[in-house]
Amino acid sequence: MRKFLPWIILVGVILIGYSYFKGINNTAVTLEQDVKEAWGNVQTSYQRRNDLIGNLVKTVQGAAEYEKGTLTAVIEARSKATSVTIDPTNITPEQLAQFNQVQGGMSNALSRLLVTVEQYPSLKANENFLKLQDELASTENQILTARTRYNEAIKPYNNHVKVFPNNIFAGWFGFKEKPFFEAVAGAEKAPEVEFNFDKKEETK
């Protein structure tokens, strides 16, 4: 029996090691799937906003004919926002910062448009426009919730791959720390809107 003892110990060590590494990998896989699901919800929320903005632009074009510059800014910002795609499995801080920046640009352009069109009585009485405003407000709340839940999904994943000794082996399995959503610089400031009523009266 004694002559087999070293082999028994070796097999035991291998099984324990296998179980340990398997646990690191499988837990990371599970947590990363949670991150991917949360990111999918973020994308869905932003996509809903982009769809609503397309309808909003069409509505405003018919009633606010003098706001072409503001509308163009919204259309261009929407185009930039939809051009940035991210793979949540390989997301980097730079990619998320770029995504955050273009979405912030979209938010600023949209805010300027909504403030500007307040001076058009026909739009303020347009049921379709009012409905779009309400849906956009609801969607902004959904975006905030989705971003918050994404950050909440990121935290346990990052904790798992960064703690010792997991951080030594997680890289072997291809798992890296993922960035959190952060507020866009200047997001706390309301957009500045300049009304040129004299020019509009002259145009009329």
Side-chain angles (χ1 to χ4, degrees), residues 9-203:
I9 294 174
L10 179 60
V11 170
V13 170
I14 292 174
L15 289 175
I16 291 172
Y18 171 78
S19 178
Y20 175 74
F21 292 126
K22 179 182 177 182
I24 293 177
N25 180 77
N26 289 355
T27 300
V29 168
T30 300
L31 293 174
E32 189 172 57
Q33 289 301 311
D34 292 340
V35 171
K36 291 174 69 175
E37 180 182 8
W39 179 253
N41 292 333
V42 169
Q43 288 184 308
T44 298
S45 299
Y46 276 117
Q47 183 58 53
R48 173 175 166 75
R49 182 175 73 167
N50 289 335
D51 293 341
L52 289 172
I53 288 171
N55 293 331
L56 183 72
V57 167
K58 292 178 182 178
T59 303
V60 173
Q61 280 176 329
E65 56 183 308
Y66 302 112
E67 299 301 337
K68 293 180 180 178
T70 309
L71 284 169
T72 298
V74 171
I75 293 169
E76 290 178 351
R78 180 173 179 259
S79 177
K80 289 180 181 178
T82 55
S83 68
V84 179
T85 57
I86 292 178
D87 176 7
T89 304
N90 300 309
I91 190 170
T92 65
E94 293 75 20
Q95 289 175 329
L96 189 58
Q98 182 188 15
F99 180 87
N100 215 15
Q101 183 177 22
V102 296
Q103 295 297 344
M106 179 70 262
S107 296
N108 289 336
L110 180 60
S111 296
R112 290 187 176 92
L113 175 63
L114 292 176
V115 172
T116 301
V117 299
E118 280 294 311
Q119 62 188 296
Y120 293 92
S122 60
L123 276 175
K124 294 172 73 173
N126 185 310
E127 290 185 9
N128 187 41
F129 177 76
L130 294 175
K131 181 181 178 182
L132 286 169
Q133 271 191 313
D134 289 341
E135 290 186 9
L136 278 168
S138 174
T139 300
E140 291 297 334
N141 289 332
Q142 291 177 20
I143 289 172
L144 177 60
T145 299
R147 285 166 58 113
T148 300
R149 289 178 177 171
Y150 172 78
N151 281 351
E152 290 173 351
I154 286 287
K155 185 177 179 179
Y157 170 85
N158 281 351
N159 286 343
H160 179 72
V161 301
K162 288 178 65 179
V163 296
F164 180 84
N166 292 11
N167 58 341
I168 298 176
F169 306 108
W172 293 0
F173 301 133
F175 297 106
K176 299 179 181 179
E177 180 182 2
K178 299 183 187 296
F180 288 91
F181 259 118
E182 296 180 0
V184 180
E188 73 283 358
K189 299 178 182 178
E192 296 180 5
V193 181
E194 180 178 348
F195 297 111
N196 191 341
F197 294 104
D198 294 335
K199 184 177 179 180
K200 288 180 181 179
E201 290 298 326
E202 293 174 4
T203 307

